[in-house]
Amino acid sequence: MGRLNWVRLVILVLLAWGWLGTAAPLYAQGDLPVVVTVRLEGPLNPIWQETLKRAMRTAEERGAEALILELDTPGGQIDVMNRLIQQIRNSPVPVVVYVSPAGAMAASAGAMLTLAGHAAAMAPETSIGAASPVGGQGEDIGETMESKVKEILKASARGLTLRRGESAVRLAEEMIENARAVSASEAVENGLVDLVAPDLPTLLRKLDGLSIEFGDSQRTLRTAGAVVVEVPLTFMEQVLVVLANPNLVFLLLSIGVQAILIELSSPGGWVAGFIGAVCVTLAVFGLGILPVNWFGIIFLVMAFILFVLD
């Protein structure tokens, strides 16, 4: 098999991963209420948007009472956070953000995601807050930029917590202005989240009968005895989440640039150029610059170019 055929095979395998395990199995469960769950953990990344979209679609198709987003994150980029908040607030079913398991956190941007939920819960020994903006490497940003970002974040936080009362609004602003963080019990005491639950069955019992604002109306959740449908990450999503690791992004970028330079210095082999293009594309995706759909389109275009070259 020629070199270009091997290259095309690699691209087709990469693309095929995206269609493996894309849906959770569905089972008929009579008249019992249905709750869909999805777990998002680690730093915020663009893959979460696709995972959340798939979970919301499953919840809507099943007529679920709620989508429970199990969260454990140290935070992430503000633009990714904003897109996730938009998805949550425009969800076709109520979204309950559940910070779990014990020891988990909803830090920085994760705190804002928790506030965006139509209801919010935390497991014991979890924490939320420390939402002050920082640079991409955790460094301080300029005074003017920091002031601008803080003000827009506080405005968003006020909008998300207004229904929870003055104490919750004040605490949310302190999380952004002074990087304050609180425990699960403190969050409930200030009205920032609705309840504390050690596990999912307990959460479902406590959510039953809870009145929430959903759209322009009030809605009462019916979750006692609910059938739980889990939406796991697909294999491709797991791979792409790994690619979002900053250390791996730096390594891919270094290899990609070096490979492209090798191709430019000795053109004609295409292998070094292909490896460089793939590594740079993966690195750009890992930085959160390249959306998932464009990520796939670029690989399709690369495969077409290789067919032409062959």
Side-chain angles (χ1 to χ4, degrees):
M1 184 180 293
R3 283 180 299 179
L4 289 181
N5 288 332
W6 277 111
V7 169
R8 287 199 295 267
L9 179 61
V10 170
I11 291 178
L12 291 175
V13 169
L14 287 172
L15 292 173
W17 281 346
W19 286 281
L20 295 177
T22 55
L26 306 180
Y27 303 97
Q29 299 289 346
D31 295 329
L32 292 176
V34 173
V35 168
V36 174
T37 67
V38 62
R39 170 163 287 280
L40 300 177
E41 53 188 347
L44 273 66
N45 62 77
I47 286 299
W48 285 18
Q49 297 170 239
E50 299 301 318
T51 305
L52 190 55
K53 183 188 300 183
R54 187 160 50 84
M56 288 177 176
R57 184 169 62 248
T58 300
E60 185 177 23
E61 291 172 352
R62 295 297 302 269
E65 278 290 307
L67 168 63
I68 297 180
L69 194 168
E70 299 181 71
L71 184 66
D72 180 11
T73 178
Q77 297 179 7
I78 291 178
D79 57 340
V80 176
M81 176 198 77
N82 287 335
R83 290 195 291 269
L84 289 167
I85 288 176
Q86 291 172 11
Q87 283 183 270
I88 292 172
R89 297 308 300 172
N90 291 284
S91 171
V93 297
V95 176
V96 179
V97 181
Y98 178 36
V99 184
S100 68
M105 67 176 74
S108 192
M112 297 292 288
L113 291 186
T114 305
L115 300 181
H118 300 97
M122 299 175 66
E125 303 174 19
T126 57
S127 58
I128 183 173
S132 295
V134 295
Q137 302 300 320
E139 74 279 5
D140 290 333
I141 55 180
E143 184 176 345
T144 301
M145 180 60 69
E146 180 182 16
S147 177
K148 288 182 176 180
V149 176
K150 279 186 175 180
E151 286 303 313
I152 193 66
L153 286 177
K154 286 193 289 185
S156 297
R158 286 194 297 271
L160 294 172
T161 55
L162 190 61
R163 69 188 188 281
R164 295 183 173 277
E166 293 183 6
S167 181
V169 172
R170 185 166 55 250
L171 178 56
E173 290 188 324
E174 288 179 6
M175 288 179 173
I176 297 167
E177 183 64 38
N178 303 315
R180 184 179 175 186
V182 297
S183 66
S185 58
E186 290 171 324
V188 171
E189 182 181 343
N190 286 276
L192 197 68
V193 301
D194 298 290
L195 52 92
V196 175
D199 50 43
L200 187 58
T202 304
L203 175 65
L204 294 178
R205 289 197 299 271
K206 289 190 173 185
L207 284 175
D208 190 59
L210 180 69
S211 179
I212 62 170
E213 289 185 14
F214 184 63
D216 297 327
S217 61
Q218 291 290 124
R219 180 165 175 171
T220 300
L221 296 178
R222 187 171 67 97
T223 57
V227 175
V228 177
V229 176
E230 181 183 358
V231 177
L233 294 181
T234 65
F235 179 72
M236 187 58 176
E237 287 171 343
Q238 294 176 43
V239 172
L240 294 178
V241 165
V242 172
L243 292 176
N245 184 298
N247 294 324
L248 185 56
V249 167
F250 176 77
L251 181 62
L252 287 169
L253 196 57
S254 300
I255 294 174
V257 170
Q258 185 63 40
I260 290 174
L261 291 175
I262 292 173
E263 180 63 40
L264 292 175
S265 63
S266 302
W270 301 111
V271 174
F274 165 73
I275 293 174
V278 170
C279 288
V280 169
T281 302
L282 293 174
V284 172
F285 169 80
L287 289 170
I289 300 172
L290 187 66
V292 177
N293 291 339
W294 281 104
F295 179 73
I297 290 172
I298 287 175
F299 274 110
L300 286 172
V301 171
M302 289 170 64
F304 176 77
I305 292 173
L306 289 173
F307 274 115
V308 172
L309 291 173
D310 195 29

